């Protein structure tokens, strides 16, 4: 911002030193002020858009105590992984958007299945595996980038092709989806569920390490492991605190 303003300031100074500069300066400033106002409206619109989506996902998750705050935590983990992978600012925003909405399809899965404390039957397992497709169907008319929708559809695909819903593998799946896969799996492993307690940090990281090249894209898995090796529990604590603060704010 400062670098962009410097040439404008120099130009205004030169303009004011000219004979008619006093009269020309306001004419020059008017389009700049209009552009600034338009950009401010854009930022406000983007912020309202984000808050609307967060409120939607929080409302869905509030139905099931064990998932409350999950999408926010996945969003934060995914954003950190994307930054570790040197994604552009726009790509990081898209990854975070996909992470926020990755489980929206679970609204089409029965409550009895989502809250079941025992093992799922084969029929129930098939039903819950439909949630990425349901999520894509819900968002079909929303003007999201194709990369966001693809990541939502494929966040349960595996690097070895044994995931769902399409059984795609390797480079057939986007890096966005693989980032979501690691973030989603890590938060699921370290969070309490009705049927088990969350794993300790080191055990969850070992699962990510063992799944590299199988469930997880090796580059994405290594990026997450490097991040956690550098920041460790500080990452978990900050993610959980941020997610909790947002839940309180949305209430």
């Amino acid at each position: 911002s400062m670098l962009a303003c410097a040439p404008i300031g120099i130009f205004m100074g030169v303009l004011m030193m000219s004979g008619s500069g006093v009269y020309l300066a306001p004419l020059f400033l008017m389009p700049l002020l209009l552009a600034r106002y338009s950009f401010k409206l854009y930022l406000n619109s983007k912020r309202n858009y984000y808050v609307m989506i967060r409120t939607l996902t929080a409302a869905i998750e509030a139905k099931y105590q064990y998932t409350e705050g999950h999408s926010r935590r996945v969003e934060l983990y995914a954003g950190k992984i994307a930054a570790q992978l040197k994604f552009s600012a726009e790509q990081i925003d898209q990854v975070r958007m996909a992470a926020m909405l990755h489980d929206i399809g679970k609204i089409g899965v029965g409550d009895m299945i989502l809250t079941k404390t025992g093992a799922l039957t084969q029929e129930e397992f098939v039903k819950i595996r439909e949630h990425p497709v349901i999520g894509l169907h819900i968002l079909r008319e929303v003007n999201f980038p194709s990369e966001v929708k693809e990541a939502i559809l494929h966040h349960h695909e595996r690097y070895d092709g044994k995931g769902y819903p399409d059984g795609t593998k390797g480079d057939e799946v986007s890096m966005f989806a693989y980032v979501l896969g690691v973030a989603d799996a890590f938060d699921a492993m370290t969070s309490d569920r009705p049927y088990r307690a969350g794993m300790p940090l080191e055990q969850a990281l070992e699962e990510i390490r063992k799944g590299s090249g199988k469930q997880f894209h090796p580059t994405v898995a290594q990026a997450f492991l490097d991040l956690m090796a550098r920041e460790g529990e500080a990452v978990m604590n900050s993610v959980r605190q941020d997610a909790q603060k947002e839940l309180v704010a949305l209430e």
Side-chain angles (χ1 to χ4, degrees), residues 91-104:
Q91 289 174 323
I92 293 173
D93 281 347
Q94 290 176 353
V95 167
R96 293 184 61 166
M97 183 69 69
M100 275 194 290
L101 294 165
H102 76 285
D103 272 348
I104 194 171

Side-chain angles (χ1 to χ4, degrees), residues 74-151:
V74 173
E75 176 201 349
L76 293 171
Y77 284 130
K80 290 179 181 294
I81 296 171
Q84 180 74 16
L85 289 167
K86 309 298 183 187
F87 283 15
S88 68
E90 182 180 6
Q91 289 174 323
I92 293 173
D93 281 347
Q94 290 176 353
V95 167
R96 293 184 61 166
M97 183 69 69
M100 275 194 290
L101 294 165
H102 76 285
D103 272 348
I104 194 171
K106 286 185 177 178
I107 198 172
V109 179
D111 292 358
M112 293 290 291
I113 297 175
L114 293 175
T115 58
K116 187 174 181 179
T117 57
L120 298 177
T121 65
Q122 184 61 32
E123 182 180 347
E124 291 168 337
F125 191 63
V126 169
K127 184 65 179 175
I128 203 167
R129 283 166 62 120
E130 294 175 358
H131 79 269
V133 177
I134 296 172
L136 184 65
H137 183 72
I138 291 171
L139 300 171
R140 68 189 185 282
E141 300 297 333
V142 182
N143 188 27
F144 285 138
S146 59
E147 294 86 353
V148 172
K149 293 182 178 180
E150 194 276 341

Side-chain angles (χ1 to χ4, degrees), residues 175-195:
M175 291 295 284
F176 283 17
Y178 283 127
V179 168
L180 259 62
V182 171
D184 186 31
F186 179 77
D187 186 66
M189 286 188 288
T190 54
S191 299
D192 293 336
R193 292 291 186 263
Y195 48 88

Side-chain angles (χ1 to χ4, degrees), residues 229-249:
R230 187 174 67 248
E231 301 184 36
E233 290 190 6
V235 172
M236 282 186 63
N237 292 336
S238 67
V239 165
R240 291 179 179 275
Q241 288 171 7
D242 285 351
Q244 188 58 42
K245 285 178 183 177
E246 182 164 284
L247 286 174
V248 172

Side-chain angles (χ1 to χ4, degrees), residues 187-241:
D187 186 66
M189 286 188 288
T190 54
S191 299
D192 293 336
R193 292 291 186 263
Y195 48 88
R196 60 153 176 82
M199 289 183 185
L201 173 60
E202 286 304 321
Q203 185 180 352
L205 292 178
E206 182 59 27
E207 291 298 319
I208 298 291
R209 194 173 291 110
K210 289 193 297 186
S212 178
K214 299 174 184 176
Q215 180 176 352
F216 309 115
H217 191 295
T219 302
V220 178
Q222 190 58 53
F224 182 68
L225 293 171
D226 290 344
L227 171 68
M228 298 304 289
R230 187 174 67 248
E231 301 184 36
E233 290 190 6
V235 172
M236 282 186 63
N237 292 336
S238 67
V239 165
R240 291 179 179 275
Q241 288 171 7

Side-chain angles (χ1 to χ4, degrees), residues 49-61 246 250:
Y49 183 58
Y50 174 84
V51 171
M52 180 182 67
I53 294 174
R54 285 300 314 137
T55 303
L56 171 65
T57 55
I60 294 170
E61 291 178 352
E246 182 164 284
L250 290 173

